[in-house]
Amino acid sequence: MWHRATIQSRKQLSPTVTGLTLKIHETSSPPSATPTNSSFTFLPGQWVDFQPLPTSTSWKPKDGNKTIGGYSITSIPKSLPYIDLAIQSSRHPVAEWVTCHAKVNDLVNLRVGGSFTYATGEKSDASVKATTNDDNVLSNETTTKQRLLFVAGGVGINPLFSMIQQWHVDQRQNDRSPQPRAVLLYSARQEEDLLFVSELNEMVGELNDHFRVVLTTTAPATDYPAGIAASPKNDSVGNPKDSILRNIEYKRGRVDQDMIKDAVRWINMMDNAVLNDERNQEEDDDVIADLVYICGPPGMPEDMQRLLFPSQNDRIRFVQSTDDVHFEKWW
């Protein structure tokens, strides 16, 4: 189902990523221009097919087969009728139009898709029946999981940022004990490529000891922008905004098994108590995440799966089964 939307604002999120806020019209309109009255809905983690309309500024597609782009929604359902997108510059006609020509009040068609979703429960599937209550808490009929691990690479943060925001809303309304915990491991080439850092820092501060963010950059030390210093002693990256973003940890290098091990150990400690008293937290093969969400460039989801599921001869295990690992592949 196609829905018409208007660009409300645009801003530069990084040197290569443009952020859009769009307002969904009350009636939807497919490319045939036949309006319907179906409501626009989505789950955190889903994406939209994005099609500029012929009346939009400077929209002159060079290839009729490439008039639609696909971009993850970075906002959450409670923000409707507004949604946010973060679109990386590329030679694709739609991405090029967004980053170079699109203006406020331009019209586009949107269509929701994708099954890589967060709905607070055991199932991570678009078919899960989800509802939003009066407190804007997304809920469903499944049992809530308590230990979550998010792993993002580059603009793979986009669907995960939507999921994490929804998780944050859920936890602010959560009075259960022990409180669930989540970790985000987020990798990009340079510090300037990391998106939503201020928002993540604020969420860590609000949730105190229940949410942790580790940002890591992969560029060689000599490639860091002025003001960013890499420490060879602990392989961490100095943060020039320490006084502002003091809640976030910075490291250098790719996400590896040691980072995953440290993250999973941390989410297994609930209010200074082990979630499952029968587990010995000194045993690596007994420390697991209930759900893992991964999104990144080609090859990264597969690499992360190999780290989560080492060879059968390796006793380290970070999830119970492959059913607990959900990932989005780029194409």
Side-chain angles (χ1 to χ4, degrees):
M1 179 68 66
W2 288 91
H3 300 261
R4 188 153 295 176
T6 302
I7 297 177
Q8 296 291 297
S9 66
R10 66 190 304 273
K11 61 182 177 180
Q12 207 64 29
L13 300 180
S14 80
T16 61
V17 177
T18 299
L20 293 183
T21 296
L22 302 105
K23 183 177 182 180
I24 311 298
H25 292 197
E26 290 185 4
T27 58
S28 64
S29 179
S32 63
T34 302
T36 68
N37 294 316
S38 177
S39 298
F40 182 97
T41 60
F42 72 95
L43 290 175
Q46 288 190 291
W47 43 262
V48 290
D49 284 328
F50 182 105
Q51 182 184 53
L53 292 183
T55 56
S56 296
T57 306
S58 302
W59 174 237
K60 297 178 181 179
K62 300 175 183 179
D63 184 343
N65 294 325
K66 294 184 178 179
T67 62
I68 298 175
Y71 309 109
S72 295
I73 301 170
T74 61
S75 52
I76 56 177
K78 79 168 188 175
S79 298
L80 288 170
Y82 298 93
I83 67 166
D84 294 331
L85 304 177
I87 300 174
Q88 187 170 44
S89 60
S90 76
R91 294 183 178 180
H92 188 282
V94 176
E96 183 179 14
W97 177 77
V98 168
T99 56
C100 300
H101 305 292
K103 290 182 171 34
V104 171
N105 294 325
D106 278 342
L107 295 174
V108 301
N109 282 325
L110 303 176
R111 180 174 59 189
V112 176
S115 59
F116 178 66
T117 64
Y118 166 83
T120 75
E122 292 179 353
K123 297 180 180 179
S124 179
D125 191 288
S127 65
V128 172
K129 182 180 180 182
T131 59
T132 304
N133 63 23
D134 292 338
D135 295 319
N136 290 311
V137 176
L138 194 68
S139 61
N140 60 34
E141 299 171 356
T142 61
T143 302
T144 299
K145 294 291 191 177
Q146 302 227 48
R147 299 165 294 186
L148 277 68
L149 174 62
F150 300 93
V151 185
V155 291
I157 186 62
N158 291 348
L160 300 188
F161 184 57
S162 177
M163 295 180 183
I164 290 168
Q165 288 178 93
Q166 186 61 60
W167 182 83
H168 174 243
V169 169
D170 294 346
Q171 300 322 304
R172 292 182 66 181
Q173 304 296 328
N174 179 18
D175 57 1
R176 289 177 301 145
S177 181
Q179 286 273 321
R181 279 189 166 195
V183 173
L184 168 65
L185 303 178
Y186 176 18
S187 177
R189 176 170 171 76
Q190 294 184 344
E191 191 260 357
E192 63 184 7
D193 298 322
L194 294 163
L195 305 177
F196 314 119
V197 175
S198 295
E199 294 91 335
L200 291 166
N201 179 74
E202 184 176 342
M203 283 189 275
V204 173
E206 290 183 9
L207 291 175
N208 296 317
D209 295 328
H210 300 287
F211 181 44
R212 181 180 173 194
V213 174
V214 179
L215 306 181
T216 176
T217 49
T218 60
T222 55
D223 290 348
Y224 283 101
I228 305 290
S231 169
K233 182 177 180 180
N234 58 13
D235 215 27
S236 64
V237 177
N239 176 21
K241 302 181 286 296
D242 278 335
S243 60
I244 300 174
L245 305 179
R246 58 185 177 273
N247 298 318
I248 290 179
E249 302 168 50
Y250 288 78
K251 296 182 180 295
R252 182 159 57 89
R254 299 181 183 278
V255 174
D256 58 20
Q257 194 173 81
D258 286 338
M259 288 186 193
I260 293 174
K261 181 191 299 184
D262 180 63
V264 174
R265 280 178 169 171
W266 187 84
I267 60 176
N268 271 268
M269 300 303 296
M270 303 289 182
D271 295 331
N272 297 320
V274 178
L275 179 62
N276 186 338
D277 291 335
E278 296 178 357
R279 288 198 172 97
N280 178 356
Q281 296 303 296
E282 297 302 320
E283 297 294 333
D284 291 332
D285 56 345
D286 284 334
V287 182
I288 64 171
D290 291 313
L291 288 172
V292 180
Y293 296 94
I294 306 168
C295 188
M300 180 186 175
E302 292 85 353
D303 289 343
M304 291 302 103
Q305 280 194 302
R306 283 191 286 271
L307 293 178
L308 291 165
F309 293 97
S311 66
Q312 292 183 352
N313 295 329
D314 193 328
R315 60 194 297 270
I316 298 175
R317 179 189 56 171
F318 298 114
V319 289
Q320 196 71 34
S321 74
T322 55
D323 293 338
D324 301 325
V325 181
H326 307 274
F327 56 89
E328 183 90 304
K329 288 185 177 181
W330 296 356
W331 62 91

